[in-house]
């Protein structure tokens, strides 16, 4: 069944190779232009087909046993070279294509043997029909899902999962594609083939569903963190409003007493005492004026609120804020970054104080503008055992809030950031581009 003239072998090799290239191209993107990609695929195909035909002529028995694996290994190297997918995602797609390759190869042979007495053209036509059906299904049903799924695989798929998946698929399909395994055409042999196809297909589907679910869970977690961040910002705004209301009540209450004292001094004609009292009152008013940290009211309010909160927790705070000129960055974006960074810093200090009550904790926040850049640095005391994962602090190290919000906002303005733990001093650094104002050069 697998023998025959060399031109028949060439047709089979060409159909299988073209099928693999077409199916893979539907799920990935080339790093080259369309014309260059076609040229590269053509050169690769001619090289592989000539090598396979020469091998077939020299030793057809060894060729039919291993040519599919050898050609596919060559295709894997070629696909990784011209594709844009990261290695984990490329491995997943290649494993899926390998499974589809086994399906149309074995199905073509089995259909020809069972229904057409081993007719070679029945095998070839079956392969073509299956490849067309697979390509149509991928293009219409799962192409967009695989493209979206790529991000989750790239970020979540670990090396252990990749290894187990590849080993399982290779063992399953390798058994099916071994022409020496169970040569007798029995119902049991067909059952074994179908079972292997089912198990390897189920493994592919399991990996797809698992990491799709993990990816969606992470998206939900990010949305939840954004909601919690917004909730905390609203809480801080409520605190500011409550402080303003209480301050207004206190001013009105004190004003009545001051007016009464001033009126009494006036009735008695005590001018010197009145002037002295007014000086003391003016001094008291100057001391009660809220510290101005920044000319931007939104940033000033949020920094003032968190600074009071930090000092209430006996945390030493040092602020170095220099913002000048009109900013094209919306205040809400800067507030998002500053509020989350400041809150995480306070949380880190409080965690240290729980462990060492007499430990002196500090927060040092820098916010400066350098030409068309915004520079934000925040350093604070933290636990020495705080670890980073993928260059970011784990949620338990920051109270579970803020890091994703900071990163999302920073990336919005092409920002570069990093997080470090230098032996108990946690540092967050960020540089963001300031968009040009409309009409500016």
């Amino acid at each position: 069944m697998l023998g025959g003239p060399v031109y028949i072998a060439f047709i089979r090799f060409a159909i299988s190779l073209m099928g693999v290239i077409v199916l893979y191209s539907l799920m990935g993107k080339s790093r080259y232009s369309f014309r260059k990609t076609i040229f590269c695929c053509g050169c690769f195909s001619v090289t592989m087909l000539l090598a396979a035909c020469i091998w077939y002529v020299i030793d057809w028995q060894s060729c039919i046993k291993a040519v599919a694996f050898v050609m596919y290994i060559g295709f894997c190297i070629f696909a990784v070279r011209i594709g844009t997918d990261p290695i984990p995602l490329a491995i997943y797609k290649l494993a899926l294509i390998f499974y589809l390759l086994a399906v149309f190869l074995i199905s073509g042979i089995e259909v020809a043997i069972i229904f057409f007495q081993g007719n070679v053209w029945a095998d070839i036509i079956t392969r073509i029909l299956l490849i067309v059906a697979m390509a149509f299904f991928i293009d219409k049903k799962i192409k967009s899902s695989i493209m979206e799924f790529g991000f989750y695989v790239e970020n979540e798929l670990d090396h252990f999962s990749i290894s187990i998946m590849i080993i399982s698929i290779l063992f399953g399909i390798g058994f099916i594609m071994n022409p020496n395994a169970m040569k007798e055409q029995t119902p049991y042999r067909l059952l074994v083939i179908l079972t292997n196809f089912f198990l390897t297909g189920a493994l592919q589907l399991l990996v797809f569903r698992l990491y799709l679910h993990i990816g969606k869970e992470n998206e939900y977690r990010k949305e939840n963190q954004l909601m919690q961040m917004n909730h905390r910002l609203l809480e801080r705004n409520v605190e500011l409003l409550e402080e303003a209301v209480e301050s207004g009540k206190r001013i009105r209450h004190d004003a009545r007493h001051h007016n009464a004292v001033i009126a009494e001094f006036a009735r008695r004609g005590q001018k010197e005492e009145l002037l002295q009292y007014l000086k003391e009152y003016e001094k008291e008013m100057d001391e009660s004026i809220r510290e101005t940290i920044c000319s931007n009211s939104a940033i000033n309010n949020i920094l003032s609120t968190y600074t009071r909160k930090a000092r209430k927790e006996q945390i030493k705070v040092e602020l170095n804020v220099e913002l000048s000129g009109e900013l094209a960055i919306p205040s809400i974006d800067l507030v998002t970054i500053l509020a989350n960074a400041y809150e995480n810093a306070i949380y880190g200090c409080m965690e240290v104080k729980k462990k060492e009550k007499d430990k002196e904790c500090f927060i040092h926040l820098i916010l400066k503008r350098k030409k068309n850049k915004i520079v934000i640095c925040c350093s604070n005391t933290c636990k020495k055992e705080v670890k980073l994962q993928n260059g970011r602090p784990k949620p338990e190290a920051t109270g579970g809030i803020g890091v994703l919000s900071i990163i999302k906002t920073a990336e919005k303005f092409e920002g570069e950031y990093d997080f470090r733990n230098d032996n108990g001093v946690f540092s967050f650094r960020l540089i963001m581009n300031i968009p040009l104002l409309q009409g500016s050069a």
Side-chain angles (χ1 to χ4, degrees):
M1 176 60 197
L2 294 175
V6 68
Y7 76 90
I8 294 295
F10 175 82
I11 294 175
R12 282 175 166 163
F13 296 155
I15 291 172
S16 300
L17 185 58
M18 290 301 103
V20 167
I21 292 175
V22 169
L23 295 178
Y24 189 80
S25 65
L26 290 174
M27 294 187 287
K29 294 181 179 179
S30 173
R31 66 176 74 245
Y32 305 122
S33 64
F34 179 76
R35 293 181 62 181
K36 188 173 181 179
T37 301
I38 294 297
F39 176 77
C40 292
C41 290
C43 293
F44 169 76
S45 300
V46 170
T47 303
M48 292 299 295
L49 292 174
L50 287 177
C53 290
I54 293 172
W55 185 6
Y56 185 84
V57 172
I58 295 174
D59 185 3
W60 74 271
Q61 289 185 339
S62 64
C63 179
I64 62 176
K65 291 180 180 179
V67 68
F69 291 103
V70 174
M71 291 180 69
Y72 193 74
I73 291 173
F75 172 75
C76 291
I77 298 173
F78 173 74
V80 171
R81 177 66 183 84
I82 71 167
T84 59
D85 293 325
I87 297 299
L89 181 57
I91 290 176
Y92 176 83
K93 290 182 179 180
L94 289 170
L96 176 58
I97 296 298
F98 188 52
Y99 173 75
L100 298 177
L101 168 67
V103 170
F104 67 71
L105 283 182
I106 302 305
S107 298
I109 294 173
E110 294 301 319
V111 168
I113 291 175
I114 296 174
F115 300 103
F116 298 97
Q117 293 78 45
N119 187 288
V120 66
W121 296 108
D123 173 25
I124 293 173
I125 293 173
T126 301
R127 293 187 188 189
I128 295 174
L129 292 176
L130 286 174
I131 291 171
V132 172
M134 291 175 181
F136 180 81
F137 181 77
I138 291 174
D139 186 58
K140 298 298 182 182
K141 299 295 183 181
I142 65 174
K143 182 178 180 178
S144 58
S145 298
I146 289 179
M147 293 296 184
E148 295 174 0
F149 169 70
F151 174 79
Y152 302 139
V153 174
E154 179 182 354
N155 288 274
E156 305 296 339
L157 194 62
D158 57 275
H159 296 293
F160 177 77
S161 299
I162 293 175
S163 302
I164 295 299
M165 180 182 69
I166 297 302
I167 290 172
S168 301
I169 292 174
L170 288 179
F171 271 111
I173 301 177
F175 175 80
I176 300 171
M177 297 181 68
N178 183 7
N180 293 324
M182 303 178 65
K183 291 183 179 180
E184 297 80 7
Q185 300 298 319
T186 63
Y188 177 71
R189 177 180 181 277
L190 185 60
L191 177 63
V192 170
I193 292 175
L194 292 175
T195 301
N196 274 276
F197 274 138
F198 172 78
L199 292 177
T200 50
L203 177 62
Q204 287 278 353
L205 180 61
L206 177 63
V207 172
F208 179 84
R209 297 292 298 177
L210 173 63
Y211 287 100
L212 189 63
H213 175 74
I214 291 175
K216 288 183 177 180
E217 284 294 320
N218 285 338
E219 290 295 325
Y220 294 148
R221 180 167 59 86
K222 292 177 183 178
E223 292 179 3
N224 183 51
Q225 289 193 1
L226 290 174
M227 291 176 63
Q228 292 186 49
M229 181 271 295
N230 289 331
H231 177 71
R232 291 196 178 189
L233 290 179
L234 288 173
E235 286 182 340
R236 301 298 168 254
N237 287 329
V238 170
E239 290 178 9
L240 289 173
L241 290 174
E242 290 177 347
E243 289 178 4
V245 171
E246 290 298 323
S247 177
K249 290 180 179 179
R250 186 175 63 255
I251 290 173
R252 289 193 298 272
H253 181 268
D254 293 342
R256 289 196 297 268
H257 294 290
H258 291 308
N259 290 336
V261 172
I262 292 171
E264 186 64 25
F265 279 130
R267 278 194 298 268
R268 295 183 180 184
Q270 298 174 324
K271 296 181 180 180
E272 295 296 329
E273 289 81 355
L274 176 58
L275 291 174
Q276 181 64 30
Y277 179 78
L278 289 175
K279 287 181 181 179
E280 293 177 356
Y281 179 66
E282 183 179 2
K283 181 180 179 182
E284 180 183 346
M285 291 296 293
D286 290 338
E287 290 177 352
S288 64
I289 294 176
R290 180 179 296 174
E291 177 186 6
T292 301
I293 300 173
C294 175
S295 58
N296 185 301
S297 59
I299 296 175
N300 183 77
N301 288 339
I302 203 68
L303 291 179
S304 299
T305 301
Y306 279 107
T307 299
R308 287 195 301 275
K309 180 179 179 181
R311 288 171 177 165
K312 191 180 297 183
E313 298 292 339
Q314 298 182 342
I315 300 171
K316 183 180 178 181
V317 177
E318 182 179 349
L319 300 177
N320 187 355
V321 180
E322 295 179 10
L323 284 180
S324 60
E326 185 180 356
L327 296 178
I329 297 178
S331 296
I332 186 62
D333 291 316
L334 278 177
V335 167
T336 297
I337 295 173
L338 292 171
N340 283 295
Y342 213 152
E343 179 132 14
N344 291 341
I346 294 173
Y347 177 85
C349 292
M350 292 174 63
E351 288 295 298
V352 172
K353 283 186 170 292
K354 287 180 183 178
K355 191 175 181 180
E356 304 176 51
K357 293 184 178 179
D358 297 330
K359 176 77 172 180
E360 183 177 348
C361 297
F362 72 90
I363 296 175
H364 184 195
L365 178 64
I366 299 175
L367 171 61
K368 292 187 177 184
R369 175 177 183 171
K370 298 288 186 179
K371 295 184 179 180
N372 65 327
K373 305 283 185 181
I374 286 285
V375 180
I376 299 175
C377 299
C378 184
S379 302
N380 62 275
T381 310
C382 71
K383 294 189 291 186
K384 295 181 179 180
E385 55 269 24
V386 170
K387 301 295 183 182
L388 301 181
Q389 184 177 26
N390 298 326
R392 306 173 185 179
K394 296 181 179 179
E396 57 268 21
T398 61
I401 303 294
V403 173
L404 292 176
S405 300
I406 292 173
I407 292 173
K408 186 174 181 180
T409 306
E411 290 176 346
K412 179 179 176 182
F413 297 96
E414 301 178 354
E416 297 182 6
Y417 55 86
D418 73 340
F419 302 89
R420 293 188 305 175
N421 180 6
D422 295 328
N423 196 30
V425 177
F426 186 84
S427 299
F428 158 63
R429 299 182 298 179
L430 169 66
I431 298 178
M432 285 195 311
N433 294 318
I434 302 177
L436 291 175
L437 291 170
Q438 188 175 3
S440 63

